[in-house]
Amino acid sequence: MSRRALTLMVAGFLTLLLAVIGAMLPVPYVALSPGPTENTIGDVDGKPVISISGHQTYPTEGKLSLVTVAYQGGPGNRLDLVTALRGWLDPAVAVVPEETLFPRSTTAKQVEEQNTQEMTDSQETATIAALNALKIPVEKVVVVVQTDKGAPAEGRLKAGDEIAAIDGVATAGLDSVGAAVRRHKPGEQVKFTVKRGDAETDVLVPTVEDKEGKAVVGVRMKADYKVPFKVDISVGQVGGPSAGLMFSLGIYDKLTPGALTGGKNVAGTGTIDPEGKVGAIGGIEQKMVGAKKAGATVFLTPAGNCADAARAVPPGLRLVKVETLRDAIDAMDALRAGKQELPACPA
């Protein structure tokens, strides 16, 4: 073999080797693909997604499915270049920078914990929104989340305490508690009336002066709600806040006679607040593909996602634009009645 031929052969081998190694190298991207769908008025692993006790419920039919996005990649489990390239070529997959899902200041575990908490919060908020839509009274309360280390409230107030009154005046919301404390001079005591378990007790907490010269006790609180009956939601490992709308519809459906869908296969997405406002979400393209694969014919779409959804909607999937829970309920009523004119996402 001539020296020139040998040189070309070695060069070709090295080029191939480098190409193979390069293809196997991890890249800082995440591949988003359609995830599983779950029928909120159905079962998961033999258990109802939504269980209600202490209030009359009604049988229903059809599907009100939440949709999800699955991902590959992330810190400690990065994509290789070949997988990333394959995703870029697949219209049902979005390949995005790793920071989109995993900000540099957070770990994969922290992101997972945040998604779990967001799911829990969305279930609670969805319950309140559904009950508000049904005009079922829900009591607003203020609950202690935690106390600051070394602060006067530490050891006196406890996580889970419901603050019923301050200095004998009934609590009128989260802001009213802070305002009542600040009306004191630093060094004075504040009388908290708290409900702890089944008991109600008065707790005296001294104040200290903060950087602005105002009285504080070092307690962190949140606005919460007391539902008059029990609503349990279970969807396994699904995380994030984007199933809120579909949870609300599932609860509403179970608490009202008849089938909200009229037996249709409906999917949708969107965050929700206690007043029933629907918020935009991420991964709308992948979620529509997942809905279509699961047999959905109608897709409830947050108004904030309409433009992106209309550009990528799968054939045969009808987009219905919703801004509130009431919009979604009205759309279901119209579909059930056979009406064809519904708010649609712009083409």
Side-chain angles (χ1 to χ4, degrees):
M1 181 180 296
S2 69
R3 180 177 296 180
R4 184 173 181 275
L6 180 61
T7 300
L8 289 173
M9 185 176 70
V10 171
F13 174 76
L14 290 175
T15 300
L16 179 62
L17 180 62
L18 288 172
V20 171
I21 293 173
M24 296 175 63
L25 287 175
V27 292
Y29 288 89
V30 176
L32 306 179
S33 59
T37 65
E38 299 293 354
N39 181 16
T40 61
I41 52 176
D43 297 347
V44 173
D45 297 329
K47 180 180 179 181
V49 172
I50 297 172
S51 300
I52 299 172
S53 56
H55 194 283
Q56 183 175 2
T57 58
Y58 300 88
T60 188
E61 60 181 353
K63 289 186 177 182
L64 284 167
S65 296
L66 62 88
V67 285
T68 65
V69 174
Y71 72 86
Q72 283 181 281
N77 188 33
R78 281 185 165 175
L79 295 179
D80 58 60
L81 183 58
V82 170
T83 303
L85 289 172
R86 191 182 301 125
W88 271 312
L89 296 173
D90 187 340
V93 176
V95 179
V96 299
E98 192 174 83
E99 291 85 355
T100 304
L101 269 68
F102 302 95
R104 292 184 180 181
S105 59
T106 60
T107 65
K109 183 179 180 181
Q110 288 173 326
V111 170
E112 183 179 343
E113 290 173 348
Q114 179 181 340
N115 286 339
T116 299
Q117 185 59 54
E118 287 178 341
M119 169 57 77
T120 299
D121 292 344
S122 75
Q123 292 173 356
E124 295 174 354
T125 305
T127 301
I128 304 308
L131 269 54
N132 283 338
L134 290 163
K135 301 190 184 308
I136 296 175
V138 177
E139 182 183 357
K140 294 182 179 180
V141 296
V142 177
V143 175
V144 173
V145 176
Q146 66 179 54
T147 56
D148 295 338
K149 189 171 181 61
E154 184 180 22
R156 294 180 171 89
L157 298 176
K158 299 181 179 180
D161 282 351
E162 178 187 323
I163 301 175
I166 300 289
D167 296 324
V169 179
T171 301
L174 192 60
D175 292 340
S176 72
V177 176
V181 172
R182 288 190 294 272
R183 280 195 288 270
H184 287 264
K185 295 179 181 179
E188 292 182 343
Q189 289 190 323
V190 181
K191 184 175 76 171
F192 286 81
T193 302
V194 300
K195 293 179 181 178
R196 187 175 292 165
D198 295 327
E200 186 170 286
T201 184
D202 290 335
V203 180
L204 293 176
V205 183
T207 60
V208 293
E209 186 175 354
D210 67 5
K211 294 179 181 179
E212 298 177 353
K214 296 179 180 179
V216 295
V217 297
V219 62
R220 300 179 188 275
M221 305 162 292
K222 70 173 182 178
D224 208 347
Y225 301 85
K226 295 180 76 172
V227 178
F229 48 89
K230 191 169 184 179
V231 178
D232 285 326
I233 301 176
S234 177
V235 285
Q237 300 302 311
V238 177
S242 63
L245 170 63
M246 302 313 292
F247 286 143
S248 285
L249 287 173
I251 294 167
Y252 184 96
D253 194 8
K254 289 200 165 195
L255 290 173
T256 52
L260 185 63
T261 67
K264 296 181 183 297
N265 187 335
V266 177
T269 189
T271 64
I272 201 160
D273 69 12
E275 285 69 47
K277 184 178 179 180
V278 177
I281 51 78
I284 189 70
E285 295 88 350
Q286 289 72 43
K287 289 178 178 178
M288 290 189 299
V289 172
K292 177 63 177 175
K293 286 182 177 179
T297 56
V298 175
F299 191 82
L300 301 176
T301 312
N305 290 115
C306 253
D308 290 337
R311 286 192 292 266
V313 59
L317 188 64
R318 182 179 185 181
L319 302 184
V320 176
K321 181 175 72 173
V322 295
E323 297 187 42
T324 65
L325 174 60
R326 176 48 58 186
D327 289 345
I329 294 169
D330 290 345
M332 291 296 93
D333 291 343
L335 283 169
R336 197 170 59 253
K339 296 179 180 179
Q340 295 302 313
E341 293 187 7
L342 293 171
C345 289

